[in-house]
Coordinates of all heavy atoms in Angstrom, one line a residue:
C1243 N 15.9 14.9 -9.1 CA 16.8 15.9 -8.6 C 17.6 16.4 -9.8 O 18.3 15.7 -10.4 CB 17.7 15.3 -7.5 SG 19.0 16.5 -7.0
G1244 N 17.3 17.7 -10.1 CA 17.9 18.3 -11.3 C 19.5 18.2 -11.2 O 20.0 18.4 -10.0
A1245 N 20.1 18.0 -12.3 CA 21.6 17.9 -12.2 C 22.1 19.3 -11.8 O 21.7 20.3 -12.2 CB 22.1 17.6 -13.6
M1246 N 23.1 19.2 -10.8 CA 23.8 20.4 -10.3 C 25.2 20.2 -10.5 O 25.8 19.2 -9.8 CB 23.4 20.7 -8.9 CG 21.9 21.1 -8.7 SD 21.4 21.3 -7.0 CE 21.1 19.6 -6.5
S1247 N 25.9 21.0 -11.3 CA 27.4 20.8 -11.5 C 28.1 20.7 -10.2 O 27.8 21.5 -9.3 CB 27.9 21.9 -12.4 OG 27.4 21.8 -13.7
W1248 N 29.0 19.8 -10.0 CA 29.8 19.5 -8.9 C 29.0 18.9 -7.7 O 29.6 18.2 -6.9 CB 30.6 20.8 -8.3 CG 31.4 21.4 -9.4 CD1 31.3 22.6 -10.0 CD2 32.7 20.8 -9.9 NE1 32.3 22.8 -10.9 CE2 33.1 21.7 -10.9 CE3 33.4 19.7 -9.7 CZ2 34.3 21.5 -11.6 CZ3 34.5 19.4 -10.4 CH2 35.0 20.4 -11.4
V1249 N 27.7 19.2 -7.6 CA 26.9 18.7 -6.5 C 26.3 17.3 -6.9 O 26.3 16.4 -6.1 CB 25.8 19.7 -6.1 CG1 25.0 19.2 -5.0 CG2 26.4 21.1 -5.8
S1250 N 25.8 17.2 -8.1 CA 25.1 16.0 -8.5 C 26.1 15.0 -9.0 O 26.3 14.8 -10.2 CB 24.1 16.3 -9.6 OG 23.1 17.1 -9.0
A1268 N 25.4 15.4 -13.1 CA 25.7 16.6 -13.9 C 27.0 16.4 -14.5 O 28.1 16.3 -13.9 CB 25.8 17.8 -12.9
C1269 N 27.0 16.2 -15.9 CA 28.3 16.0 -16.6 C 29.1 17.3 -16.6 O 30.3 17.3 -16.5 CB 28.0 15.5 -18.0 SG 29.5 15.4 -19.0
G1270 N 28.4 18.5 -16.8 CA 29.0 19.8 -16.8 C 30.1 19.8 -17.9 O 29.9 19.4 -19.0
N1295 N 22.9 14.2 -17.3 CA 22.6 15.6 -17.9 C 23.9 16.0 -18.7 O 25.0 16.1 -18.1 CB 22.3 16.5 -16.7 CG 22.1 18.0 -17.2 OD1 23.0 18.6 -17.8 ND2 21.0 18.5 -16.9
L1296 N 23.7 16.2 -20.0 CA 24.7 16.7 -20.8 C 24.4 18.1 -21.3 O 23.3 18.4 -21.6 CB 24.9 15.8 -22.1 CG 25.1 14.3 -21.8 CD1 25.2 13.5 -23.1 CD2 26.4 14.1 -21.0
I1297 N 25.5 19.0 -21.3 CA 25.3 20.3 -21.8 C 25.5 20.4 -23.3 O 26.6 19.9 -23.8 CB 26.3 21.3 -21.0 CG1 26.3 21.1 -19.5 CG2 26.1 22.7 -21.5 CD1 25.1 21.6 -18.8
V1319 N 19.5 13.8 -20.3 CA 18.9 15.1 -20.2 C 19.8 16.0 -21.0 O 21.0 16.1 -20.7 CB 18.7 15.6 -18.8 CG1 18.0 17.0 -18.8 CG2 18.0 14.6 -17.9
L1320 N 19.2 16.7 -22.0 CA 20.0 17.6 -22.8 C 19.7 19.0 -22.4 O 18.6 19.5 -22.5 CB 19.7 17.5 -24.3 CG 20.2 16.2 -25.0 CD1 19.7 16.1 -26.4 CD2 21.8 16.1 -24.9
A1321 N 20.7 19.7 -21.8 CA 20.5 21.0 -21.2 C 21.4 22.1 -21.8 O 22.3 21.8 -22.5 CB 20.8 21.0 -19.7
G1322 N 21.0 23.3 -21.6 CA 21.9 24.4 -22.0 C 21.6 25.0 -23.4 O 22.4 25.8 -23.9
F1343 N 14.8 20.6 -22.4 CA 14.3 21.9 -21.9 C 13.8 22.7 -23.1 O 14.4 22.6 -24.2 CB 15.3 22.7 -21.2 CG 15.8 22.1 -19.9 CD1 16.8 21.1 -19.9 CD2 15.2 22.4 -18.7 CE1 17.2 20.5 -18.7 CE2 15.7 21.9 -17.5 CZ 16.7 20.9 -17.5
V1362 N 11.2 19.3 -19.6 CA 11.3 20.0 -18.3 C 11.0 21.5 -18.6 O 11.7 22.1 -19.4 CB 12.6 19.8 -17.5 CG1 12.6 20.6 -16.2 CG2 12.9 18.4 -17.3
E1364 N 11.4 25.0 -16.9 CA 12.1 25.5 -15.7 C 12.0 27.1 -15.7 O 12.4 27.8 -16.5 CB 13.5 25.1 -15.8 CG 14.3 25.5 -14.5 CD 15.7 25.1 -14.6 OE1 16.4 25.5 -15.6 OE2 16.2 24.4 -13.7
G1365 N 11.4 27.5 -14.6 CA 11.1 29.0 -14.5 C 12.3 29.7 -13.9 O 13.3 29.1 -13.4
E1367 N 12.7 31.2 -11.2 CA 13.0 31.1 -9.7 C 14.1 30.1 -9.4 O 14.6 30.1 -8.3 CB 11.7 30.5 -9.0 CG 10.5 31.4 -9.1 CD 9.6 31.0 -10.3 OE1 10.1 30.6 -11.4 OE2 8.4 31.0 -10.1
A1368 N 14.5 29.3 -10.4 CA 15.4 28.2 -10.2 C 16.8 28.7 -9.9 O 17.2 29.9 -10.2 CB 15.5 27.3 -11.5
G1369 N 17.6 27.8 -9.4 CA 19.1 28.1 -9.2 C 19.8 27.7 -10.5 O 19.4 27.0 -11.3
G1370 N 21.0 28.4 -10.7 CA 21.8 28.1 -11.8 C 21.3 28.9 -13.0 O 20.8 30.0 -12.9
H1371 N 21.6 28.4 -14.3 CA 21.2 29.2 -15.5 C 19.7 29.3 -15.6 O 19.0 28.2 -15.4 CB 21.8 28.5 -16.7 CG 23.3 28.5 -16.7 ND1 24.1 27.8 -15.9 CD2 24.1 29.3 -17.5 CE1 25.4 28.1 -16.1 NE2 25.4 29.0 -17.1
A1397 N 9.9 22.6 -13.1 CA 11.1 22.9 -12.2 C 11.1 24.4 -11.9 O 10.7 25.2 -12.7 CB 12.4 22.4 -12.9
G1398 N 11.8 24.7 -10.8 CA 12.0 26.1 -10.5 C 11.2 26.6 -9.4 O 10.0 26.8 -9.5
G1399 N 11.8 26.8 -8.2 CA 11.1 27.4 -7.1 C 10.3 26.5 -6.3 O 9.5 26.9 -5.4
I1400 N 10.4 25.2 -6.5 CA 9.6 24.2 -5.7 C 10.4 23.9 -4.4 O 11.5 23.3 -4.6 CB 9.3 23.0 -6.5 CG1 8.5 23.3 -7.8 CG2 8.5 22.0 -5.6 CD1 8.2 22.2 -8.7
G1401 N 9.9 24.2 -3.3 CA 10.6 23.9 -2.0 C 9.8 23.0 -1.1 O 10.3 22.4 -0.2
Q1418 N 10.9 18.6 -10.9 CA 12.3 18.6 -10.7 C 12.7 19.6 -9.7 O 12.4 20.8 -9.8 CB 13.0 18.8 -12.1 CG 14.5 19.1 -11.9 CD 15.3 18.9 -13.2 OE1 15.1 17.9 -13.9 NE2 16.0 19.9 -13.6
L1419 N 13.5 19.2 -8.7 CA 14.0 20.2 -7.7 C 15.5 20.1 -7.7 O 16.1 19.0 -7.9 CB 13.5 19.8 -6.3 CG 12.1 20.1 -5.9 CD1 11.1 19.2 -6.6 CD2 11.9 19.9 -4.4
G1420 N 16.2 21.2 -7.4 CA 17.6 21.3 -7.3 C 18.0 21.8 -5.9 O 18.5 21.1 -5.0
T1421 N 17.7 23.1 -5.7 CA 18.1 23.8 -4.4 C 17.7 23.0 -3.2 O 18.5 22.9 -2.2 CB 17.4 25.2 -4.4 OG1 17.9 25.9 -5.6 CG2 17.7 25.9 -3.2
R1422 N 16.5 22.4 -3.1 CA 16.1 21.7 -1.9 C 16.9 20.5 -1.6 O 17.0 20.1 -0.4 CB 14.6 21.3 -2.2 CG 13.9 20.7 -1.0 CD 13.6 21.7 0.1 NE 12.9 21.2 1.2 CZ 13.5 20.5 2.2 NH1 14.8 20.4 2.3 NH2 12.7 20.0 3.2
F1423 N 17.6 19.9 -2.6 CA 18.4 18.7 -2.4 C 19.9 19.0 -2.2 O 20.7 18.1 -1.9 CB 18.2 17.7 -3.5 CG 16.9 17.0 -3.5 CD1 16.0 17.1 -4.6 CD2 16.5 16.2 -2.4 CE1 14.8 16.4 -4.6 CE2 15.3 15.5 -2.5 CZ 14.4 15.6 -3.5
A1424 N 20.3 20.2 -2.6 CA 21.7 20.5 -2.7 C 22.5 20.3 -1.4 O 23.7 20.0 -1.4 CB 21.9 21.9 -3.2
F1435 N 29.4 25.9 2.1 CA 28.4 26.1 1.0 C 27.0 25.8 1.6 O 26.1 26.6 1.4 CB 28.7 25.1 -0.1 CG 27.8 25.2 -1.3 CD1 28.1 26.1 -2.4 CD2 26.6 24.4 -1.4 CE1 27.2 26.1 -3.5 CE2 25.8 24.5 -2.5 CZ 26.1 25.4 -3.5
F1439 N 23.6 28.3 2.3 CA 22.2 28.0 1.9 C 21.3 28.1 3.1 O 20.2 28.6 3.0 CB 22.1 26.6 1.3 CG 22.3 26.5 -0.2 CD1 23.3 27.1 -0.8 CD2 21.4 25.8 -0.9 CE1 23.5 27.0 -2.2 CE2 21.5 25.7 -2.3 CZ 22.5 26.3 -2.9
R1463 N 21.2 32.4 -11.5 CA 20.7 32.8 -10.1 C 21.6 32.2 -9.1 O 21.8 31.0 -9.1 CB 19.3 32.4 -9.9 CG 18.7 32.9 -8.6 CD 17.2 32.6 -8.5 NE 16.3 33.2 -9.5 CZ 16.0 34.4 -9.6 NH1 16.5 35.3 -8.7 NH2 15.2 34.9 -10.5
L1506 N 31.8 27.9 -9.4 CA 30.9 27.0 -8.7 C 31.8 25.9 -8.0 O 31.5 25.6 -6.8 CB 29.9 26.3 -9.6 CG 28.9 25.4 -9.0 CD1 28.0 26.2 -8.0 CD2 27.9 24.8 -10.1
V1510 N 31.5 25.0 -4.1 CA 30.9 23.7 -3.7 C 32.0 22.8 -3.1 O 31.8 22.2 -2.1 CB 30.3 23.0 -4.9 CG1 29.9 21.6 -4.6 CG2 29.1 23.8 -5.4
S1519 N 30.9 30.7 -6.7 CA 29.5 30.9 -7.1 C 28.6 30.1 -6.2 O 28.7 28.8 -6.2 CB 29.3 30.6 -8.5 OG 27.9 30.6 -8.8
L1520 N 27.6 30.7 -5.6 CA 26.7 30.0 -4.7 C 25.3 29.9 -5.5 O 24.3 30.4 -5.1 CB 26.4 30.8 -3.4 CG 27.6 30.9 -2.5 CD1 27.4 31.9 -1.4 CD2 27.9 29.5 -1.8
M1521 N 25.4 29.1 -6.6 CA 24.1 29.0 -7.4 C 23.0 28.4 -6.5 O 23.2 27.4 -5.9 CB 24.4 28.0 -8.6 CG 25.2 28.7 -9.6 SD 25.4 27.6 -11.1 CE 26.7 28.4 -11.9
A1522 N 21.9 29.1 -6.4 CA 20.8 28.7 -5.6 C 19.5 29.3 -6.1 O 19.5 30.4 -6.7 CB 21.0 29.2 -4.2
G1523 N 18.4 28.6 -6.0 CA 17.1 29.1 -6.4 C 16.5 29.9 -5.3 O 17.0 29.9 -4.1
Q1524 N 15.3 30.5 -5.6 CA 14.6 31.3 -4.6 C 14.1 30.4 -3.5 O 13.8 30.9 -2.4 CB 13.5 32.1 -5.3 CG 14.1 33.2 -6.2 CD 13.1 34.0 -6.9 OE1 11.9 33.5 -7.1 NE2 13.4 35.2 -7.3
S1525 N 14.0 29.1 -3.7 CA 13.5 28.2 -2.7 C 14.5 28.0 -1.6 O 14.3 27.3 -0.6 CB 13.1 26.9 -3.3 OG 14.2 26.2 -3.8
V1526 N 15.7 28.6 -1.7 CA 16.8 28.5 -0.7 C 16.3 28.8 0.7 O 16.8 28.3 1.7 CB 18.0 29.3 -1.1 CG1 17.8 30.8 -1.0 CG2 19.2 28.8 -0.4
Ligands
FMN2631 C1 24.1 24.6 -7.6 C2 23.3 24.4 -8.8 C3 23.9 23.9 -10.0 C4 23.2 23.6 -11.1 N1 23.8 23.1 -12.2 C5 23.1 22.7 -13.3 C6 23.7 22.0 -14.4 O1 24.9 21.7 -14.4 N2 22.9 21.6 -15.5 C7 21.5 21.8 -15.5 O2 20.9 21.5 -16.4 N3 20.9 22.5 -14.4 C8 21.7 22.9 -13.4 N4 21.0 23.4 -12.3 C9 19.5 23.5 -12.3 C10 18.9 22.3 -11.6 O3 19.2 21.1 -12.3 C11 17.4 22.4 -11.4 O4 16.7 22.4 -12.6 C12 17.0 23.7 -10.6 O5 17.8 23.7 -9.4 C13 15.5 23.6 -10.2 O6 15.1 24.7 -9.6 P1 15.2 25.0 -8.0 O7 16.7 25.3 -7.7 O8 14.3 26.1 -7.8 O9 14.8 23.7 -7.3 C14 21.8 23.8 -11.1 C15 21.2 24.3 -10.0 C16 21.9 24.6 -8.8 C17 21.2 25.1 -7.6

Side-chain angles (χ1 to χ4, degrees):
C1243 175
M1246 294 175 277
S1247 291
W1248 301 110
V1249 181
S1250 296
C1269 175
N1295 176 299
L1296 302 178
I1297 307 290
V1319 185
L1320 289 175
F1343 291 85
V1362 179
E1364 185 179 54
E1367 299 93 320
H1371 292 73
I1400 302 174
Q1418 167 163 309
L1419 285 71
T1421 300
R1422 186 72 179 84
F1423 287 119
F1435 181 90
F1439 267 50
R1463 187 176 298 287
L1506 185 59
V1510 173
S1519 169
L1520 294 166
M1521 287 185 194
Q1524 293 178 335
S1525 62
V1526 71

